[in-house]
Amino acid sequence: MNQRIVEKLQSHFADSIVSVNEFREELTIVIKKNDIVKVCQFLRDDDELKFDSLRDVCGADYYRPEGRFEVVYNLYSLKNKFRMRLKVRVEEENVHVPSVTCVWQSADWAEREAYDMFGIIFDNHPDLRRIYMPEGFEYHPLRKEFPLMGIPGSLPLPRKN
Amino acid sequence: MADFSDLLVFTKLDELIKFARKNSLWPMPMGISCCAIEMMAFAGPRFDVSRFGSEAFRFSPRQSDLMIVAGTVTYKMSHVVRKIYDQMPDPKWVIAMGACTSSGGMYRSYSVVQGIDQFIPVDVYVAGCPPRPDNLLKGLMEIQKKIARGEKPGQKEKIYIEETFQV
């Protein structure tokens, strides 16, 4: 199955693929950021592959000079009972990624989570608001430079008496 | 003339009020996470808090005078806890149940308040993760003792209930 997916993607989107990696039969494909929506659309609509379920979208912070962030898409095909993973690299100075909510509705909250925790902005997302942290919180807690115990005073407590 | 000595008890009005208060504490169950399950057991038939006159768990702060904060209080939730505490009529007592509530517990992180005493006065801390229901009963009894001594809520020294283990 992995072989088939790679062949199909390479014949349709040869320019969009950055790298293909297979580890213990898990397939991970890194895609160019601006092509993510059309690749996703293809994977969902192709009659043979039918990746009709987006299980998760998450962020990752590698804290390196280039391609600091990654957005990871975990796909599942109900028809083939098969999983695969897509990745997109995001630069620190341009944290915009096209939203895949137009392909899978389930991307909505998952992308909000990645936005809240990593500050990655999903373009064309219908409702990009914080999901865990309070409105108006300035920081993104899962970024590597954010201190584990938080920044004093950034989250107000109620008055004591 | 009939002998009433067996039937009558003389006391001061003050003592009578304290006695009534101490035996009719109505808890506000502020159950936020796993501790809440132990708190339910504390109200259930095995541990049976109604023996202490506290069987009426009121889900309205306006009818409660003892708040049992049972669970992890995040910064987002702290405002809700404080609001409910504010809505309770005086005199009101607070039990901090479990490690998370008392000190943040295992959550040493940006999102969890490291102890609810940062925003409400606590009278009794019950240790454990989660504490056993009988330990929570002990916490309740300590509140009763405070009331019997005529203390005011949130003022005198705090009480710490140690953890016990079932063998």
Side-chain angles (χ1 to χ4, degrees), chain A residues 65-100:
Chain A
E66 268 175 43
R68 173 173 167 181
F69 299 107
E70 263 178 12
V71 179
V72 186
Y73 302 83
N74 287 301
L75 314 187
Y76 186 69
S77 165
L78 287 164
K79 184 187 160 206
N80 302 320
K81 296 184 175 50
F82 198 80
R83 288 168 207 281
M84 73 168 293
R85 186 184 297 125
L86 291 179
K87 282 185 175 185
V88 153
R89 298 228 164 98
V90 187
E91 299 300 329
E92 196 178 349
E93 51 274 11
N94 179 21
V95 288
H96 289 261
V97 178
S99 168
V100 295

Side-chain angles (χ1 to χ4, degrees), chain B residues 34-52 57 68 70 95 97-98 126-141 161-166:
Chain B
C34 22
C35 277
I37 311 291
E38 300 297 309
M39 187 172 60
M40 287 178 225
F42 144 96
R46 191 181 174 106
F47 294 93
D48 195 17
V49 74
S50 48
R51 292 178 291 152
F52 300 84
F57 264 80
I68 303 175
I95 294 180
M97 180 185 180
V126 183
C129 183
R132 289 178 46 78
D134 43 0
N135 255 18
L136 186 56
L137 279 182
K138 194 170 178 214
L140 179 80
M141 287 159 79
I161 310 288
E162 282 175 35
E163 202 168 357
T164 55
F165 297 96
Q166 193 175 33

Side-chain angles (χ1 to χ4, degrees), chain B residues 17-34:
Chain B
I17 289 171
K18 277 188 218 162
F19 177 80
R21 269 190 188 150
K22 119 178 156 53
N23 291 297
S24 63
L25 277 166
W26 281 11
M28 164 76 224
M30 193 72 225
I32 314 172
S33 48
C34 22

Side-chain angles (χ1 to χ4, degrees), chain B residues 8-164:
Chain B
L8 287 176
V9 178
F10 290 96
T11 181
K12 288 185 280 183
L13 184 60
D14 242 25
E15 296 299 315
L16 182 69
I17 289 171
K18 277 188 218 162
F19 177 80
R21 269 190 188 150
K22 119 178 156 53
N23 291 297
S24 63
L25 277 166
W26 281 11
M28 164 76 224
M30 193 72 225
I32 314 172
S33 48
C34 22
C35 277
I37 311 291
E38 300 297 309
M39 187 172 60
M40 287 178 225
F42 144 96
R46 191 181 174 106
F47 294 93
D48 195 17
V49 74
S50 48
R51 292 178 291 152
F52 300 84
S54 301
E55 70 270 42
F57 264 80
R58 287 293 118 141
F59 290 88
S60 158
R62 305 194 194 282
Q63 297 168 355
S64 325
D65 50 3
L66 167 67
M67 184 157 80
I68 303 175
V69 184
T72 320
V73 182
T74 58
Y75 281 88
K76 232 175 160 179
M77 195 66 192
S78 64
H79 298 269
V80 179
V81 176
R82 178 72 210 198
K83 184 185 274 178
I84 287 169
Y85 176 78
D86 285 340
Q87 286 171 347
M88 285 162 56
D90 278 317
K92 51 195 171 187
W93 305 83
V94 178
I95 294 180
M97 180 185 180
C100 295
T101 320
S102 308
S103 68
M106 65 175 179
Y107 300 107
R108 292 199 62 74
S109 86
Y110 59 91
S111 56
V112 176
V113 181
Q114 305 291 303
I116 58 163
D117 50 358
Q118 289 183 33
F119 63 93
I120 44 174
V122 178
D123 298 291
V124 171
Y125 297 86
V126 183
C129 183
R132 289 178 46 78
D134 43 0
N135 255 18
L136 186 56
L137 279 182
K138 194 170 178 214
L140 179 80
M141 287 159 79
E142 291 298 332
I143 297 268
Q144 289 185 324
K145 283 187 205 158
K146 274 171 173 276
I147 297 171
R149 287 198 296 265
E151 286 179 29
K152 289 208 164 58
Q155 285 185 348
K156 285 271 175 62
E157 64 184 283
K158 312 294 179 197
I159 307 260
Y160 301 90
I161 310 288
E162 282 175 35
E163 202 168 357
T164 55

